[in-house]
Amino acid sequence: VPGPAGEYQESWAEIATVWAAVRSRPAAPVTRARQSHILRSYRVRLRHQDALLATRNVLWRGRAYRVVGLQNPDSRNRLLEFDMVEDHP
């Protein structure tokens, strides 16, 4: 979305509120800009919804997560499965 000075600003829009099975995955230490932190990741499984296929961000329990590896596990459009990792500034 363009801002008042012509720069682009990130904005969030709610696409759907869904029930999902969320499982914790092993945490991994990550170093960025000489700062280390633990990368929390989760595996999410939910019913297939076309609106969610373009999803790249998830807000869960008040925290922002980045979607990685979106899959349609049985290729029958019944389920969606993806991993999500916590976004850090």
Side-chain angles (χ1 to χ4, degrees), residues 29-84:
V30 175
T31 302
R32 290 185 189 152
R34 290 195 236 172
Q35 294 184 358
S36 295
H37 65 276
I38 300 298
L39 184 65
R40 293 185 198 130
S41 64
Y42 300 88
R43 169 75 42 99
V44 179
R45 189 172 199 163
L46 54 109
R47 287 185 186 208
H48 187 280
Q49 294 184 29
D50 287 335
L52 299 177
L53 293 176
T55 299
R56 295 293 171 245
N57 297 298
V58 172
L59 188 61
W60 181 56
R61 294 186 175 172
R63 293 181 177 254
Y65 294 87
R66 184 171 30 91
V67 172
V68 293
L70 184 65
Q71 301 172 19
N72 181 356
D74 62 2
S75 299
R76 294 173 57 196
N77 292 338
R78 293 185 317 151
L79 298 171
L80 285 178
E81 193 170 83
F82 59 87
D83 293 334
M84 65 182 187

Side-chain angles (χ1 to χ4, degrees), residues 4-25:
E7 78 282 5
Y8 279 91
Q9 299 176 345
E10 183 177 302
S11 65
W12 287 59
E14 184 174 315
I15 295 173
T17 300
V18 298
W19 288 94
V22 181
R23 293 186 322 230
S24 179
R25 299 187 44 100

